[in-house]
Amino acid sequence: MLKKAAAPMIPATPPAGDLEQGVPVSVKIRERIAAAKRRFNANDNIAEFIEPGELEKLLDEVEHKMHGVLDSLVIDTESDHNTRNTARRVAKMYINEVFRGRYVEAPPITEFPNVERLNELMIVGPITVRSACSHHFCPVIGKIWIGVMPNEHTNVIGLSKYARLVDWVMGRPQIQEEAVVQLADLIMDKTQPDGLAIVMEASHYCMCWRGVKEMDSKMINSVMRGVFLKDSTLRREFLSLIPRKV
């Protein structure tokens, strides 16, 4: 008795615009990063390695692979009207929204000379933080306060620009301790103040949505640079002026 031949496996159709000469766009970006001997950790910005038009192709590729994840979760994306376009929505969410800080260049920041030679403590905040932990991709939601001690050579930037820098750094999969250091390095480089102080307070949904499911816990950490490290009185003044509600 002849055995019935098994049906041939039909390969998944690659997303439109994703493949050029058989090479996914993500592979091309990785090759450029490797050639430059740079890393591409979750909280790194890789905008300089993405060529015009490739972000849309990357979105198509992520959508295609997200379909595979949904299939493996045994979710019917063909008959279920709620999940029919979920793969595309998730791809757009990651690349264009919550992880946008990985794929786009830093926001333009207009800097002005310190004509009035300001040298008093300035505090900006609270600035809302919207990020995600790089362990589980769960939301990290909180607030940041930034203290700046300028000098006559400090570059002055508008208050809204601090919020834009926060959004750019936090718009990546992050670990809170590393995120605050990244932000401090960026602001120090942009403004060159005598001192910089940052405090971040956030809820981590990888802790309250899963795991121990502790809803009320928050993480608070700080980074102090320059005179904030040396001058305990200045440090106490900054901390006392932060209207936190724990």
Side-chain angles (χ1 to χ4, degrees):
M1 182 176 179
L2 295 175
K3 292 184 179 180
K4 186 177 180 181
M9 293 293 292
I10 302 174
T13 304
D18 182 55
L19 301 181
E20 180 183 330
Q21 299 177 349
V23 181
V25 67
S26 63
V27 173
K28 294 181 178 181
I29 296 170
R30 284 169 179 259
E31 288 174 347
R32 293 181 201 127
I33 297 172
K37 293 182 168 53
R38 296 275 292 279
R39 72 176 202 179
F40 52 102
N41 288 3
N43 61 351
D44 288 328
N45 178 272
I46 59 171
E48 65 185 284
F49 302 103
I50 300 175
E51 296 182 355
E54 286 187 335
L55 210 53
E56 186 65 27
K57 294 179 182 179
L58 191 61
L59 195 154
D60 291 338
E61 184 180 334
V62 173
E63 176 190 2
H64 175 64
K65 292 181 177 179
M66 192 63 207
H67 268 298
V69 172
L70 294 172
D71 287 343
S72 295
L73 290 172
V74 198
I75 293 176
D76 184 354
T77 56
E78 294 183 5
S79 302
D80 183 358
H81 65 280
N82 288 317
T83 57
R84 189 171 297 138
N85 297 313
T86 293
R88 185 69 177 182
R89 285 193 291 263
V90 171
K92 290 172 69 175
M93 176 188 72
Y94 281 143
I95 292 178
N96 295 340
E97 298 173 333
V98 295
F99 297 160
R100 179 176 171 81
R102 294 198 78 233
Y103 305 108
V104 300
E105 296 179 351
I109 302 297
T110 304
E111 303 165 10
F112 305 95
N114 187 1
V115 176
E116 298 299 325
R117 301 195 175 191
L118 304 173
N119 62 353
E120 298 292 339
L121 173 61
M122 178 185 73
I123 299 176
V124 182
I127 298 171
T128 301
V129 170
R130 301 174 186 87
S131 190
C133 78
S134 50
H135 292 162
H136 296 94
F137 280 12
C138 289
V140 174
I141 307 295
K143 302 287 184 183
I144 273 184
W145 292 263
I146 301 170
V148 178
M149 179 59 71
N151 60 55
E152 61 181 298
H153 305 295
T154 297
N155 294 323
V156 179
I157 65 175
L159 296 182
S160 66
K161 303 306 186 291
Y162 287 99
R164 293 184 187 278
L165 292 175
V166 168
D167 185 63
W168 185 65
V169 170
M170 297 298 167
R172 312 166 195 176
Q174 283 283 12
I175 299 301
Q176 182 169 333
E177 305 94 304
E178 297 177 359
V180 175
V181 172
Q182 278 189 321
L183 181 62
D185 290 343
L186 180 63
I187 295 175
M188 286 293 290
D189 180 63
K190 291 284 185 182
T191 62
Q192 301 294 314
D194 278 346
L196 176 71
I198 298 177
V199 169
M200 177 173 170
E201 174 186 283
S203 297
H204 291 241
Y205 283 68
C206 56
M207 185 175 176
C208 61
W209 189 29
R210 56 162 299 281
V212 297
K213 298 182 180 178
E214 175 57 58
M215 298 298 296
D216 297 324
S217 292
K218 295 183 179 181
M219 181 177 180
I220 304 169
N221 68 320
S222 66
V223 171
M224 303 287 168
R225 299 280 174 84
V227 291
F228 285 97
L229 276 177
K230 302 173 184 177
D231 189 337
S232 60
T233 301
L234 177 63
R235 187 163 61 248
R236 284 196 298 270
E237 179 185 359
F238 166 70
L239 294 173
S240 69
L241 291 172
I242 294 177
R244 290 194 303 106
K245 296 180 180 180
V246 180

